[in-house]
Amino acid sequence: MPQILCLTDLIAAGKLTGKRVFIRADLNVPRDAAGQITDDTRIRASIPAMTAALAAGAAVMVTSHLGRPIEGQLKPEDSLAAVAERLGELLGRPVPLIRDWVEEGVELVPGQLVLLENCRANLGEKKNSDTLAQKMAALCDIYINDAFGTAHRAEASTHGIAKYAPIAAAGPLLAGELSALARALEQPKRPLVAIVAGSKVSTKLTILKSLAHKVDQLIVGGGIANTFLLAAGLPIGKSLAEADLLSEAKAIMELMQQRGASVPIPLDVVTAKTFSASAPPEIKPAHAVAEDDLILDLGPASMSQLTALLAKAGTIVWNGPVGVFEFAAFGDGTKALAQAIATSAAFSIAGGGDTLAAIAKYGISDQIGYISTGGGAFLEFLEGKALPAVEVLMTRSVSGT
């Protein structure tokens, strides 16, 4: 884990008493057409930082983005009002929602918690405006970033404010994510197995290349697996694939082979003639896919091969379902994968929207070592990219402020 100052360090040193603490949380929850919250997981995950700061005697202000508002135009659908209401229910106390907080300031006393309206409605937020960041920093004594889901973005409330606040530190959720990722990729128990699935190699190419230098087994699924099948000289019918990236897929397989590692190529697949929930599924050997077939899942022999690998793993990184699991007829592969990860003795970390949906569908959340709340940040970490919001906290920690 990167060396950064954490909220727990500040609390242990007694530095929060009577201080104004600004927490950047990730409360960007899904809502239905009526604006009602349909999943409060992110709100629940953000509460420990708030309650810890309150218990330490701080005056706490919290903000988050929600949706994609136009800067300078806070529309009703972009408001955090529903979040404030749900947060109040979970905390068992009223949570006032403050508008125009950048220009008008925030009045609060130790022991009080307020929610500041959608930070992305502020002019200059997405462009990481120094002017806006300085105004935000002036509101607090201590800045806490607890929003791993936005750590890959350099914005005023995630990066700029951390440069100017008197003290800047990581909250428990951000610190926990970094610790779990470091455990999985920087100091893994071997064998290290990574599952990377999705519709296109192009969207995950840098991740695949980065992992090819680190992992012992690289399991591919979805449309990505089709491209690797094609690169291995196997037919894929009319399945989704990227023929222009065959050389890249071959290079990844060769690199893994040179390291004594491998990319297991599917032995059998589940096909259909049309992309439909009602299409009859057919299990075929990988070499027997017809010209008019669509590959929509991995077959039982393939899954038997993969589950055996997962059973021996020391660490598992999972991003993406291996088939069209939204269709019952083509979900067996992802279900088998999920169950194999759940029953493995390995430390497992999972991230990405479709992955979280699969975890929820198959009821294995309690059996995953760590579930990442940050889709984009999780993927960029896998790519080996620096996360701006983490980098600035590291810089502040090195400078001693």
Side-chain angles (χ1 to χ4, degrees):
M1 174 179 166
Q3 294 301 307
I4 53 178
L5 185 67
C6 294
L7 175 62
T8 50
D9 301 322
L10 297 173
I11 292 174
K15 293 189 175 182
L16 265 67
T17 305
K19 302 298 185 181
R20 293 166 62 90
V21 175
F22 185 115
I23 299 175
R24 173 52 161 101
D26 182 3
L27 309 175
N28 185 31
V29 291
R31 295 167 295 162
D32 60 22
Q36 297 300 306
I37 295 170
T38 56
D39 182 356
D40 66 358
T41 300
R42 285 180 173 169
I43 299 176
R44 290 178 180 273
S46 299
I47 285 179
M50 304 176 203
T51 54
L54 288 170
V60 182
M61 58 194 94
V62 181
T63 195
S64 172
H65 70 288
L66 182 67
R68 298 179 179 178
I70 298 172
E71 290 187 6
Q73 301 179 30
L74 182 65
K75 298 178 181 178
E77 60 267 27
D78 299 320
S79 174
L80 291 174
V83 173
E85 182 179 353
R86 183 62 183 138
L87 186 57
E89 292 170 354
L90 293 169
L91 290 172
R93 59 188 292 165
V95 176
L97 181 62
I98 311 298
R99 291 190 55 142
D100 305 318
W101 49 276
V102 173
E103 300 299 335
E104 296 183 8
V106 182
E107 293 185 10
L108 74 167
V109 297
Q112 186 180 3
L113 181 143
V114 299
L115 185 62
L116 311 180
E117 261 294 10
N118 197 329
C119 59
R120 282 203 185 147
N122 295 318
L123 287 170
E125 166 68 10
K126 295 190 75 173
K127 291 186 177 180
N128 198 18
S129 160
D130 272 345
T131 300
L132 175 59
Q134 288 167 351
K135 288 179 178 179
M136 289 180 176
L139 296 174
C140 67
D141 301 304
I142 298 170
Y143 167 72
I144 302 295
N145 189 335
D146 206 32
F148 178 77
T150 63
H152 60 308
R153 302 184 187 280
E155 298 181 344
S157 69
T158 63
H159 182 271
I161 185 176
K163 294 190 297 181
Y164 300 112
I167 298 174
L173 183 60
L174 178 62
E177 294 266 4
L178 294 174
S179 178
L181 285 164
R183 180 179 173 185
L185 293 176
E186 294 172 14
Q187 303 136 358
K189 181 181 178 182
R190 301 280 178 175
L192 169 57
V193 180
I195 301 136
V196 180
S199 58
K200 295 182 178 181
V201 170
S202 54
T203 59
K204 302 280 180 75
L205 182 60
T206 51
I207 297 172
L208 291 165
K209 286 182 174 179
S210 176
L211 291 175
H213 291 276
K214 302 174 183 177
V215 305
D216 302 300
Q217 301 285 345
L218 181 58
I219 295 172
V220 292
I224 292 175
N226 297 339
T227 301
F228 277 81
L229 280 165
L230 204 56
L234 293 164
I236 62 167
K238 57 181 182 179
S239 307
L240 176 68
E242 293 171 288
D244 58 327
L245 291 178
L246 292 186
S247 61
E248 300 280 7
K250 289 177 182 177
I252 289 169
M253 289 190 288
E254 288 171 4
L255 172 61
M256 292 285 287
Q257 189 174 22
Q258 290 168 8
R259 293 181 50 244
S262 70
V263 182
I265 299 302
L267 303 174
D268 61 349
V269 294
V270 183
T271 66
K273 300 302 183 185
T274 60
F275 186 83
S276 168
S278 59
E282 186 176 357
I283 299 169
K284 293 185 174 184
H287 62 79
V289 176
E291 289 186 3
D292 60 345
D293 278 337
L294 284 169
I295 299 172
L296 301 182
D297 196 11
L298 297 183
S302 296
M303 293 316 304
S304 179
Q305 173 186 231
L306 299 184
T307 54
L309 293 175
L310 294 170
K312 298 175 183 176
T315 306
I316 300 170
V317 178
W318 179 21
N319 174 244
V322 295
V324 187
F325 76 102
E326 297 88 348
F327 297 166
F330 307 103
D332 287 350
T334 300
K335 183 178 182 180
L337 181 79
Q339 292 173 340
I341 295 170
T343 57
S344 171
F347 171 71
S348 56
I349 181 168
D354 288 341
T355 311
L356 301 190
I359 288 170
K361 180 172 183 176
Y362 301 120
I364 61 165
S365 58
D366 292 341
Q367 296 163 280
I368 301 294
Y370 196 91
I371 298 174
S372 175
T373 59
F378 177 80
L379 294 177
E380 293 204 8
F381 194 102
L382 294 186
E383 289 179 44
K385 291 183 178 179
L387 304 179
V390 175
E391 292 281 293
V392 69
L393 293 180
M394 292 171 63
T395 301
R396 290 298 303 272
S397 295
V398 169
S399 68
T401 60

